[in-house]
Amino acid sequence: MEERYQAKAIEEKWQRIWEENQTFKALEDRGTPKYYVLEMFPYPSGRIHMGHVRNYSIGDVVARYQRMRGHNVLHPMGWDAFGLPAENAAIERGVHPGIWTQENILYMKTQLKRMGLSYDWQREIATCDPDYYRWNQWIFLKFYQRGLAYKKSSLVNWCPSCETVLANEQVIDGVCWRCDSTVTQKELDQWFFRITDYAEQLLADLERLTGWPDKVVTMQRNWIGKSVGAEILFPLIGREGALRVFTTRQDTVYGATFVSIAVEHPLALALSRGTGQEQVVKEFVDRIKTASLANRGGEDATKEGVFSGGYCKNPLTAEQIPIYLANFVLMEYGTGAVMAVPAHDQRDFEFALKYHLPIRSVIQPQSKQLTPENLTEAYVDDGVMVNSGPFSGLSNMEGKEKIAVYLEEQGWGKKSVRYRLRDWGVSRQRYWGTPIPIVYCEKCGTVPVPEDQLPVTLPTDVPFRGKGGSPLLESKTFFSAPCPQCGGAGRRETDTMDTFVDSSWYFLRYASPRFDSAPFDHQSAGYWMPVNQYIGGIEHAVLHLLYARFFTKALRDIGLAQADEPFANLLTQGMVSKETYRCIEHNWLFPSELVGSAKEGWRCPQCNRPVARGRVEKMSKSKKNIVDPEELVDRYGADTARLFTLFAAPPEKDLEWSDQGVEGAYRFLTRLWRFVGEHRELMKGVTSNLSEEELPPDLREVRRVIHKTIKKVTDDIDTRFHFNTAIAAIMELFNSLSAAAHDEGRLKAGSSLLKGGLEAMLVLLSPFVPHIANELWQQLGHSDCLDQVSWPSYSETALAEDKLLIVVQVNGKVRGKITVSADMNQSRIEAEALQDEKVRNIVGDKKVQKIVYVPRRLVNVVVEG
Ligand SMILES: [Zn+2]
Ligand SMILES: [Zn+2]
Ligand SMILES: [Zn+2]
């Protein structure tokens, strides 16, 4: 055995053994309970970052632990390989996106292998592989047949810099999620998936996701945004028809003093004709239409509007009320028209003040009369209805129901349910994605590509210039295609699919990654699904996680998937963050660029200005506060990298980088290595034993610590994912074992126990630091791999062997405290009390008259005088 801990050699050795033995290969074994653990697969950007290391280390602990608990574990890895960066690389460097992606995959795979992650690499998938994306196309066709995929012209978010359509979820505060450019709007023919058909199911089934963080469930609930209310018709004055509005506050209709409509509303321009408002309305419409959707709908966006020139009738008051165009009303939500009740809606209140529109209160609190002139804000709470015709005097909750019924009776409206969730626009004007399998024919129209002609593969004769529409438009081999129906000349759809399509079902593909007659084998998916534990970032709370749920349900309805929900348990890990350095003139700086020292203060290498240690922020290239996992592994080894990230914080919390923390993790492993080296010879031939045999009290205590640690680590991993406290407990156990082993007498008397403890510790450590644990296990004379060893169990009796803290009094006065083993009898405890130094000093030569013992609590020594 090497005297020094040499991580590199050990890690290479074990990674080779695992690979040769296919240790982590998952086979369907119906006799063994399955456990499917999955980390969100990475985008092959080029190199792994610390966030990956953390995410995958967490997953690996779960995988290795569950294997040792006797589960048949599936732990796969693959690549979310389509997407913009590959195409941008092609534009910038002229490398084909496929080549760029393949190179990155190869490199990152090597990096992941060096982390010692227990993946079944034979199930590896890459979504850019035609064998994968043909099934995206297949699913698309199934959706199309069922009306779940459809095309419509719609206003979309447009990133002028990426020159692509963005989903609403990809617009963050009005800017592109990828490049931060301000998003505008554009009208385009787009393919959509009808996720709204599943809105109610997606909402209802959230109740069943008890293994998900509440936060994510809430975010999805809000995203789906169900509202129950009424649709009301406001008849137009001076023309045919009515404005249809949706409201959840039909109890306030009597207070509706105007109606606001979206600039996209079909009547927006028409209402102004002949009213003198034509010009202002047109200008307003043109201006607002080009603003981004997010800017218009946001809470903080300025509310503005213009009088349309037209009027409608409030059906309940029969009053004539004006129709306004307002920037905050969106066609996408509701009906594009809202009744405005300034007294009871803050947005309408502000709008009414700005444009001097009447405010009428129709609900007021029990004890107070509301005067509209004195209102400083809208009254939005519940209360009693007033100024509401026959409904006055009712509670507004009662009124809500009664008015809805009344509207329906009069033919003025009906009860209605709305969702905030919109259909999912999946068209992208990009190259590096799944081609949509549709051909357009002048004679036959929109024709789906027959299943047996899949995959429609991406052509290679495509220029990447980064301008204009889809690159596929310019491919000679791709663009023209015979119509599958009549054989005439047709043209292919040149849009590719949103890459979120790829990740919406990849977890199903892992069940049978080479299956070639459907996206996945029904039987295999039936065995492995659902994913028992899914692990990934909170940023996917409403994007990927909602789409994956939608796909699972839609594929179930097609008769493919069996599970209703894809992920039984979800863990959202925190970020990896680190301090930053910033020069007021030269912005972010790498710590390695700084000149000076921590003591004298750091300075900017360019301008020599002092640079203060800045805020702790999420690691990012732009903030120059990243740590390259590869350097970390080169220097300390993968086990140290894993131990540090798992020990520094519980998985769901943010992890702050600390060089000392890394050093500490490395030091612990070095001490462990040395300890085994020193005691290896002694332990040869010793049988480990953690059972109930007679032991002297101090060794019984060591045994108790061993069992306590097994219990704690088991609980921490199993139910709480508190890996940090589990590791802390193992470190404490190590200290107890070292202390005991350094005591010649205890070492001799307890060699079986110490060996048992050491072995148990290696088993407990192995999910966290698998290489060193396996190596030391072998050094202790075992020929098996720890991954085949069962997780240790603890004994309640051994645990109960607790220590007691006994208060010692002399003549009723507290003089000290002693710790005794709980199984000591009364006379031994009394003897221990008399032996206590403080007690001995007080008692001195005095005669002990009697000793009072209160079991498990107190010894009172009564002396004369
Ligand atoms: Zn962009
Ligand atoms: Zn045709
Ligand atoms: Zn500077």
Side-chain angles (χ1 to χ4, degrees), residues 786-824:
L786 274 175
D787 301 275
Q788 279 111 42
V789 169
S790 296
W791 190 254
S793 50
Y794 55 88
S795 134
E796 291 289 347
T797 4
L799 278 179
E801 238 178 75
D802 219 329
K803 280 189 172 175
L804 297 175
L805 190 66
I806 304 280
V807 174
V808 184
Q809 298 177 335
V810 179
N811 289 347
K813 239 187 176 165
V814 176
R815 296 299 186 181
K817 283 177 185 138
I818 56 168
T819 312
V820 300
S821 173
D823 62 335
M824 272 189 195

Side-chain angles (χ1 to χ4, degrees), residues 39-94:
E39 300 106 55
M40 290 179 186
F41 64 168
Y43 177 77
S45 55
R47 300 172 78 83
I48 62 167
H49 54 67
M50 282 310 301
H52 292 130
V53 170
R54 187 176 194 203
N55 187 184
Y56 308 147
S57 297
I58 293 167
D60 204 45
V61 172
V62 177
R64 288 178 184 267
Y65 168 75
Q66 293 295 351
R67 260 184 222 111
M68 295 168 96
R69 291 304 298 260
H71 283 111
N72 185 27
V73 171
L74 173 58
H75 189 209
M77 178 44 76
W79 310 95
D80 192 8
F82 273 140
L84 288 181
E87 208 161 327
N88 291 338
I91 294 161
E92 282 160 26
R93 279 170 268 166

Side-chain angles (χ1 to χ4, degrees), residues 582-587 589 603-611:
R582 191 176 197 172
C583 164
I584 41 169
E585 195 183 333
H586 298 100
N587 222 337
L589 297 167
R603 280 173 290 110
C604 172
Q606 291 172 65
C607 64
N608 220 29
R609 279 198 184 90
V611 174

Side-chain angles (χ1 to χ4, degrees), residues 832-850:
E832 292 272 337
L834 290 171
Q835 285 301 307
D836 184 77
E837 209 181 306
K838 283 189 208 119
V839 176
R840 264 200 340 240
N841 289 341
I842 291 162
V843 174
D845 295 335
K846 289 169 198 154
K847 188 164 182 252
V848 175
Q849 287 173 327
K850 66 172 178 181

Side-chain angles (χ1 to χ4, degrees), residues 159 161-162 176 179 181:
C159 172
S161 146
C162 299
C176 169
C179 73
S181 309

